[in-house]
Amino acid sequence: VDFDKHTYAFDLDIYKVDPSAIELVSEFGALHSITPMPTVSARLDAAETEVLAESRKEPEPGEPYVTVGVLDSGIEPNDYLSPWIVGRFSPYPDEELDTKHGTATASVLLYGDELSQTEWVGAGAFNILDAAVFHRDPAGMDEDELVSNIQRAIERHPEIKIWMFAGGWDIECSDRDFSDFA
């Protein structure tokens, strides 16, 4: 049986087999479990609206801002975000990205407190590494591809110590456990 091996964590390997081979593989006595590979995508939960901050934040020259890696669908370099974007990682060409979710995520990171008129983040401003780990396919992508993209982004940027991941999909979060993905 042909398969792809993906290492999710130090002691967690996932083997992806073609769906046509599942019956054959499921007969293997030493198999712990077999489940369909989840499909994920980055999408906005609500209707798209454009809300603009009253003023744009500009980096102060020489100020040592912390860089946050934003693992998402890509960030549109608009007037509000461009001055803060210090790099980009993506395994996909620009035409395969839909940057709406990632742009919203980065906007909340930089302007969320101001727009909500509540201190949620309270940490000021951040430089941003745009790590576009989702592609635009409306059918989504297999979880193993997303995990591989996240691993490559983090490996290529070991200097970044804070990573933000806000992919929105139909998997409900538990109040009591971390998901297998987490």
Side-chain angles (χ1 to χ4, degrees), residues 52-115:
L52 299 177
E54 292 181 18
S55 61
R56 284 185 293 172
K57 295 180 179 181
E58 296 287 336
E60 294 290 329
E63 187 71 27
Y65 295 103
V66 170
T67 300
V68 175
V70 176
L71 299 160
D72 213 297
S73 64
I75 300 169
E76 185 64 34
N78 60 40
D79 291 342
Y80 288 83
L81 300 175
S82 288
W84 301 97
I85 299 173
V86 296
R88 183 167 200 208
F89 164 84
S90 182
Y92 309 110
D94 288 349
E95 58 271 8
E96 291 184 24
L97 300 176
D98 178 352
T99 59
K100 292 181 188 108
H101 192 275
T103 301
T105 299
S107 297
V108 169
L109 177 65
L110 283 175
Y111 294 96
D113 287 359
E114 178 184 341
L115 293 174

Side-chain angles (χ1 to χ4, degrees), residues 4-21:
D4 294 320
K5 178 182 176 182
H6 300 276
T7 300
Y8 272 36
F10 300 112
D11 60 352
L12 178 60
D13 292 326
I14 303 295
Y15 297 90
K16 184 177 178 181
V17 299
D18 187 279
S20 64

Side-chain angles (χ1 to χ4, degrees), residues 82-159:
S82 288
W84 301 97
I85 299 173
V86 296
R88 183 167 200 208
F89 164 84
S90 182
Y92 309 110
D94 288 349
E95 58 271 8
E96 291 184 24
L97 300 176
D98 178 352
T99 59
K100 292 181 188 108
H101 192 275
T103 301
T105 299
S107 297
V108 169
L109 177 65
L110 283 175
Y111 294 96
D113 287 359
E114 178 184 341
L115 293 174
S116 68
Q117 298 176 345
T118 304
E119 188 172 302
W120 293 102
V121 177
F126 306 92
N127 285 326
I128 295 172
L129 172 79
D130 174 11
V133 295
F134 286 95
H135 57 63
R136 82 163 53 230
D137 187 343
M141 62 194 292
D142 285 346
E143 183 183 274
D144 63 311
E145 181 180 357
L146 175 60
V147 169
S148 176
N149 291 345
I150 292 170
Q151 289 171 338
R152 291 190 323 196
I154 292 171
E155 286 168 0
R156 290 186 183 166
H157 297 281
E159 74 282 3

